[in-house]
């Protein structure tokens, strides 16, 4: 699993995601999927998954794929 560098608290999610290596980005995406699944199974309604993470990660993955000429 990748090691995450500490980010400036003022950095946007998009900037933080752009700075991750490919493997780290895939690890982050996988962890968000696991978190979403876990929260779906929890009966606590005060916790909510933010789909913004998924959108940003998938958008960055798509950009990287196209930049490599694979789209």
């Amino acid at each position: 699993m990748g090691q995450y560098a500490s980010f400036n608290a003022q950095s946007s999610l998009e900037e933080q995601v752009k700075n991750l290596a490919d493997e780290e980005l895939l690890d982050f995406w996988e962890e968000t999927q696991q978190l979403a699944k876990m929260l779906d199974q929890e009966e606590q309604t005060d916790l909510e998954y933010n789909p913004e993470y998924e959108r940003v990660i998938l958008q960055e993955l798509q950009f990287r794929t196209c930049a490599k000429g694979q789209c």
Side-chain angles (χ1 to χ4, degrees), residues 5-71:
S6 59
F7 291 104
N8 182 339
Q10 296 179 355
S11 296
S12 69
L13 175 62
E14 288 86 356
E15 288 300 316
Q16 293 177 32
V17 165
K18 287 179 185 178
N19 289 315
L20 294 175
D22 289 347
E23 286 298 316
E24 293 173 326
L25 183 57
L26 291 171
D27 287 344
F28 184 42
W29 178 77
E30 183 179 351
E31 290 171 7
T32 61
Q33 295 299 302
Q34 291 173 356
L35 177 61
K37 186 176 182 179
M38 183 179 69
L39 289 175
D40 278 345
Q41 294 173 352
E42 289 289 321
E43 293 184 16
Q44 297 176 346
T45 58
D46 59 337
L47 298 175
E48 192 173 307
Y49 173 70
N50 184 352
E52 182 70 9
Y53 285 102
E54 184 174 13
R55 184 194 64 77
V56 170
I57 293 166
L58 292 176
Q59 185 176 20
E60 181 63 21
L61 287 170
Q62 182 179 24
F63 173 78
R64 291 181 187 193
T65 300
C66 289
K68 293 178 183 178
Q70 299 174 353
C71 64

